Amino acid sequence: MESKSDIKSTPRGFHCTLCNVNLPNEPSLDQHVKGRKHQTLSTVRNTRKSQEQHSVFVSGIKRDISQTDLTEYFQQFGTVSDVIMDKDKGVFAIVQFCETDSIQATLSCVEHQMKGLKLRVKPREKKEFKLIPKKKNDSHNLQQVLNRLKPELSQQPCVNAQMQYVVERCELGENEKKARGLLVQLLQEVFVEFFPDSQIMPFGSSVNTFGIHSCDLDLFLDLENTKVFQARAKSTTGQAGEGMSDDGHSEDSILSDIDLSSASPDEVLELVATILRRCVPSVHKVNVVSSARLPVVKFHHRELNLQGDITINNRLAVRNTRFLQLCSGMEGRLRPLVYTVRYWAKQKQLAGNPSGAGPLLNNYALSLLIIFYLQNCEPPVVPTVDQLKDMACEEEECVIEGWNCTFPSQPIAVPPSKNTQDLCTLLAGFFSFYAKFDFASSVISVREGRALPITDFLCQNKGEETMQEEQATKPHHTGPRLGPLNLLDPFELSHNVAGNLNERSQRSFQKECLEAEKYCRSLQYQRKSTKGKSWGLVRLFTPHGDVPCAKTEQLTISIPFKSASLPEVLRKQLHTAGDGFRLLWFQKVCSAVEGVFQSVLGCHLAPSADTVFGEDSAVDVAEEMESTSASFNTSTNDSCESFEYPDETSPLGTTAVGSKRPLSSGSDVSVSPQGKKPRLARGKPEFPQWIWVQKHIVWAGRRKVKRELIKDTDSRPEGSCMELESQVTAHMVEKEPALKDPLKFKVQPQMVGGTESTKAVLKFEPSNDKAGVFRDFFHFLEAFLPKMVETLLEKEVGSG
């Protein structure tokens, strides 16, 4: 097996030479070998190898020799499956046969002559298949890029001038625009020969006024008129009965190979890829990506060193480009802001993935985040999309795929903004705005210019009602895919532009915004250094070093509000709760946390004067929340604003403002007996703490015990992983001796939200750790507890 030769043993496990990855153990190795990356690369390698074995290299030809000429000549040696021409210089070709015997017959021929030319034929060169890793934006490369920009930036008189200079250095030059325009014109001439009346339209960064030197060329091939042409040609030639093949298609067009009215997008894109490979000079590396949300044909233009994408079903993207052009034209401060924030995001590795995929922000999402911030400035810098729709005249009405995409065609139709803030102030405001934004409980709507409550989208029916007005002509749109950062497209309201982000990416974005906000309050940002030190944007653009900053250790575990992973029953309950959904969700989380400690890990509650989480804790918390929900709903923002970031690395410090003070410090929160509700201070929600006792080490060696139980079919539990984890704990308690001095620790639950992303934060504090095991236990809980809480939430609503 060739796959076995790809795997090499190493002192630390295994190494896959095909994929260039290290694997720590055999289970990971088995999973990798069966995974998509390894299987895809194996398939590509086998295909390349088969092509080498079935083809010959032919040189000595001239430009006037066609593929048909070569096919007809080499057909005498066997069936020819494909001929690949060198379309740039026209001096060589690769002829591929169906059978390997044809190769021997071709090479055994002493002399090959065709149309007066003496052809040189030799076997294909055998090349070792090797994966070329994509370039990464590591801190060293990013620092080199900044070093080239740094001297001129430091010489600018103010931050406003620095931002304008960033635009000048990064924007597409006139020659680049002309070159891209000529390529579009060439593609138009080529495609119209094969797809009559078709039109190719650029969109995206190349034409939306925010393009940079390395941006891709995004193209939309509009085939609607071609479909009409093909239908008309069928009817007219069908009547005449001339120029038609047996299947009723035109013989003098590539359309004889495909019926656009019934062909799938993949079939059309394969045809587009074939035209690019064989008919457009300097175009290479052509491949169809059918797995994308909108399938595309990717290509690279060698002379322009330009990456391009062609889609056939992306009319909305063209309209989005017109929208960004309008915004740029009506507000001159938008372009410097967009270029500056995009450059900052790339330097902080929040955006700019070279492959165009992955959990990073794309440029369109960043632009919409900036526009949404400007809509929420006081007074607003740009109007909302709904306001722009009202400014459009009747001739400018536009509906695409059922979505209302109406806005004025000219910036002069939009009244100028009354906001007079300069670029320096607006940039600092952007970071401040998103450093305190509650992403977890909000859906950003550029169309309405406000953050919509996520509860409106937790129930699918409600999500459809929200979009009903915009989809009257196409009622089958579904709600957006919810994630850690929800940013609705201004027109296609079922599309979350930032739906590719994961929790880590969202946290990184908000953390970097917080860091930038702190820096923007300093004099180093606002004033030019008289001593030649880095200032303004230079410090803001500085990438993180390879050595991580020292972190102040915080014994806290966060359980974020993840709307996408909530079970449907709980989503409906939270939707019904409306503005009070945080309290309801927090109650469910507290109940699940207690279930993990008691039922899964076998901990016991220690009696305590200020602990109300007992057997009936869920009921107690529910009663408490019921009695305080009304006051909390009116003061959520006020109370949550007091939760501040006391240090750079942790959402909560050891003495976070708004956290519960120790009872011994003279707090005005009275001590309540077991089972009684504590009194709330100043209407702010305060929640009691648990004191847990753990008598066994149930965290060390759990994986080994779990594997043994899974192999033993007789003892394998039925149901979810909760039953399995509970049985693992029971097995370990039975086999392992108890601790001489049981571990005793406090857990203080706290809800955060409003001015930052909604989450439940659990603060841990050991009260008796004579065995010295708490640190290991806490490290285990950091990964185990959030996953099990999610599992228990599903189990609770499922059984309910």
Side-chain angles (χ1 to χ4, degrees), residues 67 81-85 87 273-280:
Q67 289 175 314
S81 60
D82 197 8
V83 175
I84 302 172
M85 302 284 294
K87 56 180 179 287
T274 302
I275 296 171
L276 284 173
R277 291 189 188 101
R278 299 185 176 183
C279 304
V280 184

Side-chain angles (χ1 to χ4, degrees), residues 282-303:
S282 295
V283 168
H284 67 141
K285 296 182 180 179
V286 180
N287 65 296
V288 178
V289 183
S290 56
S291 59
R293 190 182 77 93
L294 293 172
V296 300
V297 177
K298 289 185 172 292
F299 68 90
H300 185 266
H301 193 276
R302 187 182 290 109
E303 291 184 8

Side-chain angles (χ1 to χ4, degrees), residues 454-516:
I454 202 167
T455 49
D456 287 358
F457 298 84
L458 294 180
C459 180
Q460 290 185 355
N461 293 334
K462 180 62 178 178
E464 292 172 1
E465 291 174 13
T466 304
M467 299 182 290
Q468 186 174 4
E469 179 184 351
E470 304 300 333
Q471 55 185 12
T473 60
K474 192 173 182 181
H476 298 295
H477 291 307
T478 59
R481 172 192 173 190
L482 298 178
L485 198 159
N486 301 298
L487 174 61
L488 294 183
D489 185 275
F491 307 110
E492 187 184 1
L493 300 181
S494 63
H495 176 37
N496 179 9
V497 177
N500 62 309
L501 263 67
N502 56 26
E503 292 177 45
R504 183 177 182 181
S505 302
Q506 184 272 323
R507 287 197 305 268
S508 297
F509 173 72
Q510 195 156 34
K511 178 185 173 183
E512 293 297 344
C513 285
L514 179 66
E515 295 295 321

Side-chain angles (χ1 to χ4, degrees), residues 538-594:
V538 178
R539 285 284 302 274
L540 190 66
F541 289 162
T542 302
H544 296 302
D546 295 329
V547 180
C549 300
K551 295 184 178 181
T552 304
E553 186 176 15
Q554 301 293 331
L555 300 179
T556 60
I557 295 177
S558 296
I559 301 175
F561 175 78
K562 297 192 294 185
S563 57
S565 62
L566 293 176
E568 187 62 30
V569 175
L570 183 54
R571 289 161 71 101
K572 291 181 179 179
Q573 293 175 357
L574 296 178
H575 162 66
T576 305
D579 293 339
F581 78 95
R582 290 186 183 89
L583 282 169
L584 177 59
W585 172 76
F586 184 71
Q587 171 201 342
K588 300 285 187 182
V589 169
C590 286
S591 178
V593 168
E594 184 174 308

Side-chain angles (χ1 to χ4, degrees), residues 2 41 67 186 194 240 249 305 316-317 396 433 444 449 455 477 515 533 550 585 589 592 644 679 696 704 717 772 794:
E2 196 167 14
L41 289 177
Q67 289 175 314
L186 172 63
F194 298 100
H249 291 110
N305 190 24
L316 278 165
E396 294 169 326
F433 181 79
I444 296 174
T455 49
H477 291 307
E515 295 295 321
K533 295 182 178 180
W585 172 76
V589 169
E644 299 177 353
R679 180 167 55 89
H696 296 81
K704 183 179 180 181
E794 294 179 1

